[in-house]
Amino acid sequence: MAATAEANGSPAYDVSAKIPAVAQPLAEEPAEIASNISYHAQFSPHFSPFKFEPEQAYYATAESVRDRLVQQWNETYRHFHKVDPKQTYYLSMEYLQGRALTNAIGNLNIQDAYGDALKKLGHELEEIAEQEKDAALGNGGLGRLASCFLDSMATLNLPAWGYGLRYKYGLFKQRITKEGQVESAEDWLEKFSPWEVVRHDIVYPVRFFGHVDVTPDGSRKWVGGEVVQALAYDVPIPGYKTKNTISLRLWEAKACAEDFNLFQFNDGQYEAAAQLHSQAQQICAVLYPGDATENGKLLRLKQQFFLCSASLQDIIFRFKERKLGKGSWQWSEFPSKVAVQLNDTHPTLSIPELMRLLMDHEGLGWDEAWDVTTRTIAYTNHTVLPEALEKWSPAVMWKLLPRHMEIIEEIDKRFIAMIRKTRTDLESKLSGICIVDDNPQKPVVRMANLCVVSAHTVNGVAQLHSDILKSELFADYVSIWPKKFQNKTNGITPRRWLRFCSPELSSIITKRLRSEQWVTKLDLLAGLQQFANDADFQDEWFAAKMANKQRLAQYIERVTGESIDPHSLFDIQVKRIHEYKRQLLNILGAIYRYKKLKEMSAEERKNTTPRTIMFGGKAFATYTNAKRIVKLVNDVGAVVNNDPDINRYLKVVFVPNYNVSVAEILIPGSELSQHISTAGMEASGTSNMKFALNGCLIIGTLDGANVEIREEIGEENFFLFGATADEVPRLRKKRENGLFKPDPRFEEAKHFIRSGAFGSYDYNPLLESLEGNTGYGRGDYFLVGHDFPSYMDAQAKVDEAYKDRKRWLKMSILSTAGSGKFSSDRTIAQYAKEIWNITGCPVP
């Protein structure tokens, strides 16, 4: 039976069979594109013949688009090779790319042609695009920022590369059960990714463990240990309406055939025979493997070094390749051709690795190597949270990277000598600013300090964050190198985050501004301000937002089974689950709202503002309190959504497995978004920018980029609450001294949980983190209790504002109109000019 069915083929196959299968890689007309897709379905096969279901159609379509990208790619690199400009190499442990198909055909400006071509083949573009799995290469804002930056680098025609790791299983796929969050491995590579091109000729050896040999002439060589191979996979990154297509190069770890011990295998020692193969596979298996054990710490450090070593070997190889045949050259020219940007502290090992490669492989002396390294590398700091500022045990580092520890200790020794010689006033502070902390109780290597000492530029990612770095975290370094520190407020790509994810809103913006130029010059959105009170424009705006809300409601019903009312206020908080981001404050507010609704008469309820509160985000697998918060949200939703008296006025929904593709549905459909971290703790945030750009109003604290968003869109269009960053230390002190008096509403919400209203799970450990005055995991470090009353008051203002449709729509329009500053094009243009010293290199 099966064979007959296959021979008859699928209905879509019958349609596609009528389209001639002809390779037309640069096709632009729908009929030619359909032929090229049909060609790939037949001659680049990945499935049984006679099948052309949506999945097969997706892979064939992706390969057809890739033809065009490969051509642009090759032309871009040919041009870069000819012009030989200075290039930037962006190193990041994470990239959160999202789907590539819709983004590529959007940036290439061929959506309509591909839509028509797929119709000829019996498919709809939207359905085909849905087949693509998000690449599991990142987790949160850090990775998404890196991806927005790549899009802007390509769009601005900058000579730049991204470097990362090719994680097979990502962080994890999140499912929600009655027990809360359940993690399983991501399956994005279960079949294959049609967007990556493996470069079998680009392979570098990466060593771990071993020891340092000193040769008779005094030079040092790292030898022994284990050596794995780094193999390059390239992913094309097309710019928007430009011929330039740049690369994200991802490294995969492999062992060679000669590392497979055939003798042991034939002797039945199967695991021992393939030991290095198995160890190599572990390196790129999972993003952020648990590091509670020494093995976990070693694996994380291996990942970081693997990224740094492979990338720097590649950068040096390409620099030397460009110099060959160009007469004499010196290593001192390296920083005039190469800029390396470290995205947070994860790629810090680039500093000692570049030193090692220059000294041990290229024969430079210390002073020359140090000069090259410090003029090449720049560092972006993303956090002031102490636990996120990486610190490694020297014992673990000596074991895994003995040569690098020698170099780090030498950098530290020379830094300390410089301070003792030129800044005697800082001698008493050396224990805090040196790199290796020799505290016998817990010695550590401080990666952020290594970055600040070694990089030519250090930047924060929002004005408030950069100010805190300069006045608190890195204050002593600022006194040594005042010109080293800059601010680069983050941004987002307007292509993915408005033009493509909200076509209805985009088209009315283009219609009113009479141009689509805003897609690359986002500050043109300010031109919408003049229409904020225009009744016709408000109606169009409302209709566009409603279309997005309905699309979101359909999605929520599909993935959670919960039906939500598009006429209710859509209130969304989506981000990593973390105590400082305060999803707990949000759910406590929802619980208090539910309790008050229960106490009202049926008539009184009719005067309230109906709300759907949505949460989304992953809790790190070993972060117990974050997982308790996820469970609490789901337990509250189970009760509230099934309460027939209340569920017309309030629903609480947890959206599972939050990722870029989910965000592309949630953000356009949202009307209020919550960015409510404890002031001074969120470096920037970028989802706040995405929501504001889509005409969603923000309830938030004066934290991260919220400060600048509020300045740009107008204070009256932002629902502000909570303590300010400079008040936080004083409030914590007050709490320690037992002077905090909780608001009765806060106590009421906690008491309601403890009453068992949301089930029998023991939430005491979570609630106790908000109680007591001091002690580990107590004392409400994140000020949920302090900010609760002002949060509830701000929420009451939201309810009132939403009742006035004209006022809300005006605020929504002004939010979009004020978002021009928050384009990653602006951010990257500033990096290019003020840190990297590179200029555009457009393909003619």
Side-chain angles (χ1 to χ4, degrees):
M1 276 306 288
T4 323
E6 194 167 272
N8 291 338
S10 65
Y13 175 76
D14 296 337
V15 178
S16 69
K18 296 181 181 124
I19 303 282
V22 182
Q24 305 200 43
L26 305 181
E28 294 192 2
E29 293 304 314
E32 295 172 349
I33 290 171
S35 277
N36 199 48
I37 293 172
S38 184
Y39 172 83
H40 278 292
Q42 283 193 47
F43 297 106
S44 310
H46 304 286
F47 300 92
S48 312
F50 314 119
K51 260 191 182 170
F52 200 64
E53 302 296 336
E55 186 180 33
Q56 288 81 38
Y58 158 67
Y59 282 107
T61 303
E63 288 177 323
S64 173
V65 175
R66 198 180 81 173
D67 288 346
R68 178 85 169 262
L69 291 175
V70 166
Q71 188 238 358
Q72 289 199 182
W73 222 356
N74 292 342
E75 282 185 11
T76 303
Y77 286 104
R78 200 173 291 124
H79 182 61
F80 287 177
H81 197 81
K82 193 173 115 193
V83 177
D84 192 20
K86 181 176 182 181
Q87 301 196 29
T88 288
Y89 302 95
Y90 195 83
L91 269 63
S92 180
M93 283 299 279
E94 297 187 39
Y95 291 89
L96 208 49
Q97 287 288 95
R99 287 179 176 148
L101 177 61
T102 39
N103 194 70
I105 60 175
N107 274 4
L108 295 169
N109 201 25
I110 49 177
Q111 313 93 308
D112 293 347
Y114 265 81
D116 293 347
L118 282 164
K119 278 198 176 81
K120 291 178 190 295
L121 293 164
H123 288 292
E124 291 294 324
L125 175 57
E126 207 165 298
E127 185 194 12
I128 297 309
E130 282 287 310
Q131 300 296 314
E132 182 175 357
K133 290 179 174 169
D134 279 34
L137 299 170
N139 172 32
L142 183 85
R144 186 51 234 169
L145 180 80
S147 294
C148 281
F149 279 3
L150 292 179
D151 183 86
S152 288
M153 289 169 190
T155 298
L156 294 171
N157 302 312
L158 292 170
W161 289 64
Y163 280 112
L165 295 183
R166 184 178 179 264
Y167 302 106
K168 189 171 181 185
Y169 301 116
L171 187 76
F172 60 81
K173 193 150 88 178
Q174 181 193 54
R175 279 186 310 115
I176 301 297
T177 68
K178 283 194 163 59
E179 275 64 56
Q181 169 181 294
V182 177
E183 304 90 16
S184 59
E186 287 270 17
D187 58 354
W188 77 289
L189 286 175
E190 200 80 337
K191 291 195 172 87
F192 70 106
S193 165
W195 302 105
E196 56 184 24
V197 174
V198 59
R199 306 286 191 195
H200 290 290
D201 55 328
I202 298 178
V203 182
Y204 297 100
V206 178
R207 185 183 306 276
F208 303 111
F209 305 111
H211 62 277
V212 180
D213 270 354
V214 184
T215 57
D217 66 354
S219 62
R220 307 178 84 78
K221 208 83 178 158
W222 181 25
V223 295
E226 62 184 43
V227 178
V228 299
Q229 307 299 317
L231 172 66
Y233 284 76
D234 285 355
V235 179
I237 310 289
Y240 179 73
K241 292 187 178 178
T242 166
K243 291 179 184 173
N244 284 44
T245 293
I246 61 171
S247 265
L248 167 58
R249 177 159 284 178
L250 302 169
W251 300 107
E252 179 176 77
K254 294 174 77 80
C256 301
E258 64 194 46
D259 296 316
F260 183 80
N261 190 318
L262 210 51
F263 179 82
Q264 283 184 317
F265 191 85
N266 288 329
D267 191 39
Q269 302 175 53
Y270 306 129
E271 283 173 17
Q275 191 179 10
L276 195 64
H277 287 258
S278 155
Q279 285 168 348
Q281 282 172 355
Q282 291 164 12
I283 294 172
C284 295
V286 172
L287 170 66
Y288 301 140
D291 59 355
T293 63
E294 175 162 341
N295 274 347
K297 289 183 177 65
L298 278 169
L299 183 56
R300 278 223 194 175
L301 203 53
K302 268 188 175 182
Q303 285 187 331
Q304 294 186 0
F305 179 65
F306 183 74
L307 167 66
C308 299
S309 182
S311 304
L312 282 163
Q313 288 182 69
D314 196 38
I315 291 165
I316 287 174
F317 174 78
R318 297 179 63 236
F319 169 76
K320 287 164 77 172
E321 190 181 45
R322 294 204 304 274
K323 288 295 174 193
L324 284 175
K326 294 201 174 172
S328 66
W329 57 274
Q330 264 106 30
W331 278 103
S332 57
E333 296 166 38
F334 189 78
S336 65
K337 289 295 181 186
V338 172
V340 172
Q341 189 70 37
L342 309 182
N343 191 28
D344 213 350
T345 51
H346 311 123
T348 304
L349 290 165
S350 299
I351 295 161
E353 176 65 353
L354 182 52
M355 290 290 289
R356 182 188 76 85
L357 290 167
L358 291 173
M359 292 191 297
D360 301 0
H361 286 236
E362 304 298 341
L364 275 66
W366 179 278
D367 291 341
E368 198 184 350
W370 181 245
D371 176 66
V372 169
T373 300
T374 54
R375 289 194 294 128
T376 300
I377 290 178
Y379 159 58
T380 301
N381 172 280
H382 281 276
T383 184
V384 295
L385 289 180
E387 73 268 21
L389 287 167
E390 290 189 295
K391 299 177 183 75
W392 290 100
S393 145
V396 169
M397 288 189 65
W398 275 112
K399 182 176 177 182
L400 190 72
L401 304 167
R403 180 68 180 118
H404 298 77
M405 270 307 286
E406 289 185 347
I407 292 167
I408 289 167
E409 290 201 336
E410 183 65 23
I411 293 170
D412 198 30
K413 190 175 96 184
R414 289 175 182 236
F415 170 66
I416 290 167
M418 184 268 286
I419 295 296
R420 290 193 167 133
K421 188 174 171 189
T422 63
R423 290 296 302 270
T424 48
D425 57 314
L426 286 177
E427 277 206 54
S428 61
K429 296 188 172 175
L430 267 172
S431 62
I433 58 175
C434 65
I435 297 162
V436 183
D437 179 357
D438 285 328
N439 177 343
Q441 264 70 51
K442 199 181 179 191
V444 288
V445 180
R446 295 184 277 220
M447 301 312 246
N449 291 20
L450 177 55
C451 285
V452 176
V453 168
S454 311
H456 61 80
T457 307
V458 175
N459 72 283
V461 289
Q463 194 60 57
L464 173 69
H465 171 234
S466 296
D467 291 345
I468 291 171
L469 290 183
K470 282 171 34 179
S471 63
E472 295 174 31
L473 197 65
F474 298 143
D476 293 323
Y477 296 117
V478 175
S479 77
I480 306 166
W481 299 294
K483 292 194 174 132
K484 186 177 276 206
F485 296 85
Q486 297 186 12
N487 173 55
K488 295 284 169 278
T489 296
N490 282 341
I492 55 170
T493 168
R495 273 73 64 184
R496 188 179 287 271
W497 295 115
L498 180 54
R499 175 65 189 81
F500 305 151
C501 72
S502 185
E504 296 89 350
L505 207 58
S506 294
S507 67
I508 65 168
I509 290 170
T510 298
K511 190 173 100 182
R512 284 292 165 145
L513 297 179
R514 299 186 172 179
S515 155
E516 225 187 15
Q517 275 193 305
W518 61 268
V519 181
T520 49
K521 295 186 173 65
L522 201 61
D523 41 15
L524 293 175
L525 289 179
L528 296 174
Q529 286 166 352
Q530 61 185 305
F531 306 116
N533 286 308
D534 179 314
D536 291 344
F537 187 56
Q538 285 192 353
D539 287 345
E540 290 176 41
W541 195 265
F542 176 81
K545 287 296 289 183
M546 184 50 81
N548 288 330
K549 287 179 76 176
Q550 283 165 336
R551 195 180 296 132
L552 171 52
Q554 286 163 3
Y555 176 78
I556 294 293
E557 185 151 19
R558 194 170 88 231
V559 298
T560 69
E562 197 58 59
S563 80
I564 58 175
D565 178 8
H567 296 282
S568 65
L569 167 58
F570 278 10
D571 165 353
I572 298 182
Q573 186 182 19
V574 281
K575 47 188 84 243
R576 283 185 305 126
I577 311 292
H578 198 295
E579 286 166 287
Y580 90 82
K581 292 179 185 283
R582 299 202 295 190
Q583 286 90 351
L584 188 50
L585 174 59
N586 183 352
I587 193 63
L588 285 168
I591 287 165
Y592 184 78
R593 178 181 289 268
Y594 174 59
K595 188 170 186 291
K596 292 299 116 181
L597 282 165
K598 288 293 279 178
E599 291 164 7
M600 288 177 190
S601 68
E603 278 309 304
E604 285 172 318
R605 283 181 202 135
K606 285 178 187 166
N607 294 322
T608 63
T609 301
R611 239 191 232 229
T612 303
I613 305 175
M614 294 173 240
F615 293 77
K618 294 177 179 180
F620 200 70
T622 54
Y623 188 172
T624 312
N625 260 2
K627 292 180 83 166
R628 286 181 181 127
I629 292 167
V630 173
K631 175 148 176 63
L632 179 58
V633 171
N634 283 287
D635 285 352
V636 171
V639 171
V640 172
N641 303 344
N642 292 303
D643 187 327
D645 298 334
I646 305 301
N647 60 17
R648 268 168 302 170
Y649 306 102
L650 180 65
K651 285 211 166 172
V652 175
V653 178
F654 191 95
V655 186
N657 206 39
Y658 180 59
N659 61 18
V660 176
S661 296
V662 176
E664 287 169 22
I665 301 168
L666 282 169
I667 291 170
S670 68
E671 293 171 291
L672 179 76
S673 73
Q674 305 212 24
H675 303 275
I676 57 179
S677 50
T678 314
M681 304 208 78
E682 185 74 86
S684 165
T686 45
S687 68
N688 46 6
M689 301 169 187
K690 292 161 198 156
F691 282 104
L693 179 63
N694 278 273
C696 169
L697 301 183
I698 291 176
I699 181 169
T701 49
L702 277 182
D703 197 22
N706 281 2
V707 178
E708 290 160 80
I709 291 172
R710 184 166 170 264
E711 281 167 10
E712 294 292 316
I713 68 174
E715 295 174 11
E716 66 285 1
N717 302 313
F718 188 105
F719 297 99
L720 181 68
F721 76 95
T724 58
D726 52 355
E727 292 169 343
V728 167
R730 184 175 52 78
L731 290 165
R732 285 187 180 137
K733 200 88 205 130
K734 198 172 157 186
R735 177 75 182 235
E736 275 177 36
N737 296 331
L739 299 171
F740 172 67
K741 293 277 179 289
D743 185 88
R745 293 174 287 183
F746 181 60
E747 295 300 293
E748 212 176 315
K750 287 190 301 173
H751 183 72
F752 199 39
I753 298 171
R754 285 185 163 127
S755 73
F758 305 107
S760 59
Y761 182 82
D762 180 14
Y763 281 109
N764 274 314
L766 181 61
L767 297 175
E768 281 164 6
S769 72
L770 307 174
E771 293 166 344
N773 296 325
T774 53
Y776 180 73
R778 297 196 34 98
D780 194 9
Y781 186 76
F782 300 104
L783 273 60
V784 176
H786 175 275
D787 282 356
F788 190 80
S790 65
Y791 174 69
M792 295 310 294
D793 296 345
Q795 289 286 18
K797 287 179 186 157
V798 171
D799 289 334
E800 278 315 299
Y802 196 71
K803 286 176 182 168
D804 182 345
R805 180 174 175 270
K806 278 187 77 67
R807 180 185 163 206
W808 189 273
L809 286 167
K810 177 186 175 180
M811 291 166 81
S812 173
I813 293 163
L814 289 173
S815 173
T816 299
S819 292
K821 173 180 175 178
F822 303 106
S823 167
S824 48
D825 297 348
R826 185 260 321 145
T827 313
I828 285 299
Q830 289 177 335
Y831 273 98
K833 186 177 174 205
E834 296 160 21
I835 298 182
W836 303 331
N837 191 24
I838 63 168
T839 51
C841 190
V843 174

